[in-house]
Each structure stands twice: as C-alpha cells, then as structure tokens.
Amino acid sequence: MKILIKEGHIIDPSEKLNKVGNILIEDGKVKSYPSDTKKLEKGPTIEVIDAQGMVVAPGFIDMHVHLREPGFEHKETIRTGCEAAAAGGFTSVVCMPNTNPVNDNASVTEYILLKARTEGIVNVFPIGAITKGEKGEILAEIGEMWEAGCVGISDDGCPVMNSRVMRHAMEYVKAFGIPVISHAEDIDLSGHGVMNEGFTSTVLGLRGIPNASEEVMVARDITLVELTAAHLHIAHVSTAGAVRLIRDAKKRGVRVTGEATPHHFTLTDRAILNYDTNAKVNPPIRSQKDVDAIREGLKDGTIDVIATDHAPHSEDEKKVEFDLAPFGISGLETALPLSLNLVKEGILTLPELIRKLTFNPAQIVRINRGTLRVGATADVVIFNPDKSITVDRNKFRSKGKNTPFHGWQLSGCVRYTIVGGKVVFSS
Amino acid sequence: MVFQRKHILGLEDLTAEEISLILDTAESMKEVSLRDVKKVPALKGVTVVNLFFEPSTRTRSSFEIAEKRLSADVLNFTPTQSSVVKGETLLDTARNLEAMGATVIVIRHSMSGAPWLLARELDSSIINAGDGSHEHPSQALLDLFTVREVKREIQGLKVVIVGDILHSRVARSNIWGFIKLGAEVRLVGPPTMMPQDVEKMDVKVYYNLEETLKGADVVIMLRIQMERQGSGLFPSLREYSRFYGLTRERLKLAKEDVMLMHPGPINRGVELSSEVADDVHSVILDQVSNGISVRMAMLYLVASGGGNA
C-alpha cells in the first residue's frame, strides 16, 4: 500500500523542512520526497491525497492524556480516546497512570498496550506511576514498567508530597533514562480549592487554589533535579511564577522541560463566572497575567510542549454542584485550532508550533516519532490551518463532551491523520 | 418599573433600581403583615418548594410564612427525609419536585452556585436562600430594608462588616447591595479571613476594628462559625474575640446613632460581648420581622414578573 501526498506545505521541524512538496509513503514508512509524481500516480495500488493549500506535518504527539481505561470506561476507553486523538490530528498519545487499577505495575501496562494494539487506532505510550497506587509513599516497580513499555513516570492527578520519595524516584529512574513528569501541586496549599484563587473566586464564593500551590512544588522539584541530575518534566504549567522558575532553571542548565495546555493559554478564570463545571480543571485556569506569561514562555522556549491534559468525564458527573464536579477538560479535539491562535497572534510561527506538538514531546519521552525523515514510521497529519470551524461538543469522538469551548468559532481543521502509513481519520 | 427577572440568585446581578423595587414592594408587603388577617391571594394556586439542603430555622420559617401570607401552596423539602441520602443528584431531586407542579423553588445549599445549576436546567423560578460562601440575597435585602427604614437613605452611609468575610455569603450579598445603593463599605477581620482581591468589589479593607468603627453608621457583625476553630485561620476564639469582638467601649467609636446588625444566631461573648448583644436585640428582632416582608416581595415579584407573567 502506497500513499502519495501531493503538493502540500510540508513542515517538519525535526528535518528543518518548510516547503511545498510531495511525500511518498510505502510499507508504513516515509519512502521519499519525489519531485515528479506523474509516473507514480499511474501505479495501480496508490492512494493520492491532494494536499494543496494544506499543511503536511509529522503526526502530533500528545504527551498528556487520560484514556481512563481500565476502570473508568464510562468516561473514555482506549478505543474512543484514540478516535478522538486521530480526529484531533494526533498519531501518538501518552497516557497517564491514574486508572483503576493504577498503572503502577507491568501487568497494567501490558493490559493497556494490548488494548491499544487491538482497539486503538493511534500509538499509545503509557506513563507508569511513580509510587504504588499513586499514594506518594512507596516506589512502584518502575523498572518492570519501563521494560513493558512505559516512557516516563508520573503520579499525575496527585503530587508526590514527600520530598524524599520524589528524590529517590528521580534517582532510581536514571537507570532507565526516562523522565519524571511532575504534577506540581502542594495539596495542603490547595486545600479543598476548586478554582483559581483571586477576585473571581472571591465573588463566586468558591474555594481558591493559589498560584503558590503550583510554584512551591515546581521550585522543590527543580531543586531535587539539581540534586539528582534526572530529567524533570513539569506537566500543565498554569502560573506566571512556574514559567519564571522553569526559565531560570533552564538558564542554569538544569534538565527541566515543561508543557502547557490550550486551555491554560486561552482562558482565564472568568470562564467560571456562571459556575460552568466544564471549565473546572486542575490546575485551574488562572488570570490574564498567567495566560500572558505562559504565552511568553511558549514563545521564548521555556515551555517546550503543548499537551492537552485530555481529561474526559461523563455528562452526569459534570452536571452537578461546582464543588462536586470532577476536574478536567476534554481536549484532544480542540487542541489544533486553539493552538493555531498562537500563530495568528504572532506568538509562534507555524514551524515553532508544530515542533511543540511533534519533535519536542518525542524527544522528552524518547520515542522514535515526530519526524518525516526518509525511513521514519509514516505518522502524518494533514490539516487546513485556515478553514473556519465551530466547536460542537456533540460531534466529539471522545466520550468526554466536557469542553468550555463549545460554540467557539476557530480556524484549523484536520483533513487526514495517517498512522504507520494507514489513514485512520479523514474529513 | 416592572420586575423582569425570573430568578433572584444574588445581588451581584441586580441593578440598584431592581433592588429599590424589591424594597419598595416589601414596604407594601409589610402593611399586609400588620393587618388582622395577614393574607393576600397573590400566589394562590402557585406551588412553592422550600428546598433546604442545609439546616436553617430562621430563613426557612421566614420564607414559609411569607409564602403562606401570599396564599401559595407550600412544600418543605429537607434532605434528611428525602432521596438525597439515597444518592439522588440535586438536579434529579429538583426535577421531581418540578414534575409535582412546583413553579418556584427556594433553595438553600451548602455549595456555592447550586441555585445557578437549577436556574440553568429547570423551568421553575429559583430563589437563592443562601448558597455556600456565595450569596444570601434575602438576608442582604432585609438588612437594606431595615437600614433604609431607620436611616431613610442608604446613599452615603458608612457601613462596616466585621468578621469572617471569606466564608460569608451574608457579607458578599451585603457588599453588593450597599455598594450599589451608594454606601461606603468597610470590611474588617483577621487577614486570614479576608478573601483575595476583595478590594476590587470597591470596598475598603481593614484589620483593626477600632480604626474601622470610627464614624460608622451601620455595623454588621458576622457570626463566627464554631467549626472554623482549628481551621488554622485564627489561633483561638479567645484571641479572635479580643481583637474583633464588639464591646460597648468599641461601639462608642461609631456614630452615636449607629445601627448594629447581626444575621443571627449570636455567639455571645465571641463576636458580641453579652451586654452589646442585649443592646442590639431589638434591631435583630426588627430584622426578623422585616425578613418576612422582604421575602414576600421577592416571591411576589419573581412569580408575577419575568418568565412567569
């Protein structure tokens, strides 16, 4: 099976490619960049995709999603999560371990990978838990999970509050060369907070989560990674102070990377003014000052990656009192158009944006993806960056319809998602 | 002016004109309460549910009397006797009550925003009888009513609110109400009980009670909830009372004709010294009886205006 992608605007930051051209895919790999396609097109077993006016890039990699399986199949399954990913232009997703049971041992990792092979239409790379049951006490069997296919460790959803445990996790994981991904939150400072602490929480009478809750943990983890020389990745950066801490640490040469979500660089906590539980997320969406700082961090390279923290929940779970609703936003299917806003507003160039969605996350979790060089696995996204769309949560492939962006007018539409040389999504 | 709103959820979204209309209507309602036969047929045939998820004697009784004086059919629904303990969601509970014919739901809930959820998802008119730390519009309206009755004019008054502002729905509703009607509002309490950025509500924040009381026309004391002890927000009730308790001595710093108010119930010896508590009892009782008139006005305007006319 061959696919010829014709006359697309090829952008591949890993190869510094930014030009109009053709790509030939054969046997699941990037075969060549033919300049003359006439002869090829006449071949009997070739699918030709006319990509004129479209961007052709390495398939996006979302290094922060919750697929919910095993345990919470009413929110999402590996099948539906992968379908949502494909619709969003993602060819690989990195899934967090807060399932039930927690992915804290190799048998759960193997279950996830088996499910992904049989039902998933995109690549699934699991993250193992740092500690057993994500309880923050005893190290999980990280080595075996790494052998089984985990590409990093995290207690995402919960912080590792005990600094000694975090130190040992960072040290231990060096044997396997995978990153420690920190959900940076001081749970005592967060208290029972449900949204950003500030004027909006004061008016709404909702308990606030101060910026400091994130920042003290980012500072602690940076200090610990300086001690241990591991690789620290800060998940879902939400505050100006966290951006500053990461920037300063990078300047000192500390091995720290960071990611930001589209909701954190798009929304402020005013989205909650009508108690919209679809905007309830942890870390919370914050102030304009924080949004500006995250955008600045994306621009100057402090923040390496755009990841969605895709956190699907069922309608019933979200249609309750604000305090009772679970945290999380369904993000896979709105990530591209929201990210393209950064290009429109001159914060990132299109190649810079694509780099944060492909090559950078691939480097951090050390997977052999995110590139269109000849011989690479043919994971490709083809999208129209200018086509207007209206976000309609009812059309999401994800089971999680929990988006605060329903009804938004945006631009950017995925036309084809190709995984290993197979078209898994087209529109 | 005609009242156009289907719900009364808080004072934040009411205009000064709407607040004044409610207070004016309450004045007519007060006249009903002074009659021998304290009943008018305004809400005849209307079913009102008092959906109280939090224990409350004062507010619930006041709403119930108000509803009955307007001839409404009244159903009191409290979670201890209900399916809530069996795990039913708030929305399902409310939808069931609506299916039984309720068109006005008066809700008290421990969580901020619960009335908004009902207003968004149901057809009924929703009256917020207190939600979490958010708003308590009927309390603030009756406070405004009581002050207006005595002082004639809210505009230009210096109003001091003392205590745990952070957790107080009474404080938030009163701030909106008094500010909108032109008063100057000062807040005072321990810094740990002052919510973030509250100055942006156009109030002045103080930490020293004596300083705050100077020249005050109205002092609203908030109740210190006993369960806040051990929350780490203040060391002890004893120390709280020393710095933020109102004594006769301190009250002398305010204007001579200062009005002292308390949403009740009082913790004697904590936020008010016992002798001050006795002094203020008369205003507190005025507040209680005015509460009925104000709630009659709210029910009447919501049931006859907006989406229900």
Side-chain angles (χ1 to χ4, degrees), chain B residues 229-249:
Chain B
Q229 278 191 94
S231 63
L233 296 177
F234 61 98
S236 63
L237 282 178
R238 200 181 74 85
E239 178 153 316
Y240 178 86
S241 176
R242 253 201 74 196
F243 287 88
Y244 298 102
L246 196 59
T247 58
R248 253 189 204 151
E249 279 307 301

Side-chain angles (χ1 to χ4, degrees), chain A residues 148-255:
Chain A
C150 282
V151 298
I153 55 167
S154 179
D155 274 2
D156 188 57
C158 315
V160 178
M161 283 299 288
N162 184 319
S163 304
R164 184 178 52 79
V165 173
M166 192 59 156
R167 175 212 172 148
H168 289 155
M170 286 183 183
E171 285 173 339
Y172 189 74
V173 82
K174 289 201 292 180
F176 312 108
I178 53 177
V180 177
I181 301 173
S182 170
H183 170 111
E185 178 182 12
D186 182 316
I187 46 174
D188 295 312
L189 265 178
S190 290
H192 297 285
V194 293
M195 67 169 292
N196 180 47
E197 181 178 291
F199 182 60
T200 308
S201 66
T202 290
V203 168
L204 292 175
L206 290 172
R207 285 180 294 259
I209 300 172
N211 284 23
S213 175
E214 177 164 321
E215 290 154 9
V216 296
M217 281 304 243
V218 171
R220 182 203 72 172
D221 286 345
I222 285 171
T223 309
L224 288 177
V225 85
E226 288 185 84
L227 172 69
T228 59
H231 172 189
L232 171 68
H233 178 77
I234 306 290
H236 42 52
V237 171
S238 78
T239 77
V243 175
R244 194 174 59 238
L245 285 161
I246 296 168
R247 181 181 293 128
D248 293 349
K250 280 187 164 182
K251 267 187 206 146
R252 290 199 304 280
V254 179
R255 263 176 102 201

Side-chain angles (χ1 to χ4, degrees), chain A residues 295-329:
Chain A
R295 289 170 166 235
E296 187 56 40
L298 284 161
K299 189 182 172 78
D300 70 13
T302 301
I303 296 174
D304 307 84
V305 168
I306 292 171
T308 65
D309 192 6
H310 176 73
H313 293 289
S314 75
E315 283 291 275
D316 287 346
E317 291 168 306
K318 281 285 194 181
K319 260 194 186 176
V320 293
E321 295 88 326
F322 196 88
D323 283 347
L324 299 181
F327 292 102
I329 288 173

Side-chain angles (χ1 to χ4, degrees), chain A residues 4-81:
Chain A
L4 175 65
I5 303 167
K6 263 180 62 183
E7 290 173 40
H9 179 183
I10 302 167
I11 301 178
D12 178 5
S14 78
E15 295 285 285
K16 298 198 170 62
L17 270 182
N18 186 1
K19 57 158 196 189
V20 173
N22 310 305
I23 299 182
L24 179 65
I25 294 169
E26 197 175 317
D27 299 329
K29 308 274 187 209
V30 177
K31 173 82 174 173
S32 63
Y33 289 81
S35 47
D36 185 11
T37 60
K38 282 207 184 92
K39 213 171 126 195
L40 276 169
E41 282 176 68
K42 287 180 187 138
T45 55
I46 193 157
E47 182 182 346
V48 179
I49 294 173
D50 178 5
Q52 254 190 68
M54 286 183 246
V55 174
V56 180
F60 301 145
I61 299 166
D62 190 344
M63 67 171 290
H64 195 140
V65 305
H66 298 270
L67 294 178
R68 303 298 190 205
E69 190 176 359
F72 304 104
E73 290 84 355
H74 65 290
K75 297 176 193 272
E76 193 82 290
T77 62
I78 289 171
R79 180 196 295 266
T80 57

Side-chain angles (χ1 to χ4, degrees), chain A residues 62-123:
Chain A
D62 190 344
M63 67 171 290
H64 195 140
V65 305
H66 298 270
L67 294 178
R68 303 298 190 205
E69 190 176 359
F72 304 104
E73 290 84 355
H74 65 290
K75 297 176 193 272
E76 193 82 290
T77 62
I78 289 171
R79 180 196 295 266
T80 57
C82 285
E83 283 168 3
F90 293 93
T91 54
S92 296
V93 292
V94 177
C95 61
M96 287 296 165
N98 56 344
T99 46
N100 184 19
V102 169
N103 183 15
D104 62 0
N105 65 76
S107 59
V108 179
T109 308
E110 280 158 8
Y111 173 84
I112 292 168
L113 288 171
L114 175 70
K115 274 278 189 174
R117 270 197 302 278
T118 52
E119 297 181 9
I121 57 171
V122 304
N123 309 301

Side-chain angles (χ1 to χ4, degrees), chain B residues 139-187:
Chain B
Q139 178 69 44
L141 288 165
L142 76 86
D143 288 345
L144 289 164
F145 184 84
T146 308
V147 171
R148 198 177 78 161
E149 225 176 20
V150 175
K151 305 276 183 194
R152 310 316 311 168
E153 193 58 74
I154 303 285
Q155 178 86 35
L157 293 179
K158 287 185 173 60
V159 178
V160 174
I161 306 179
V162 187
D164 182 2
I165 312 291
L166 180 62
H167 297 99
S168 177
R169 53 190 174 217
V170 174
R172 283 174 183 70
S173 287
N174 266 318
I175 292 169
W176 292 124
F178 278 101
I179 290 286
K180 284 179 191 213
L181 296 188
E184 174 198 318
V185 176
R186 304 169 176 177
L187 308 179

Side-chain angles (χ1 to χ4, degrees), chain A residues 259-280:
Chain A
E259 77 191 24
T261 72
H263 49 269
H264 286 117
F265 65 67
T266 304
L267 294 175
T268 69
D269 61 6
R270 295 180 57 78
I272 292 172
L273 275 176
N274 58 351
Y275 295 95
D276 182 3
T277 57
N278 286 323
K280 179 177 174 182

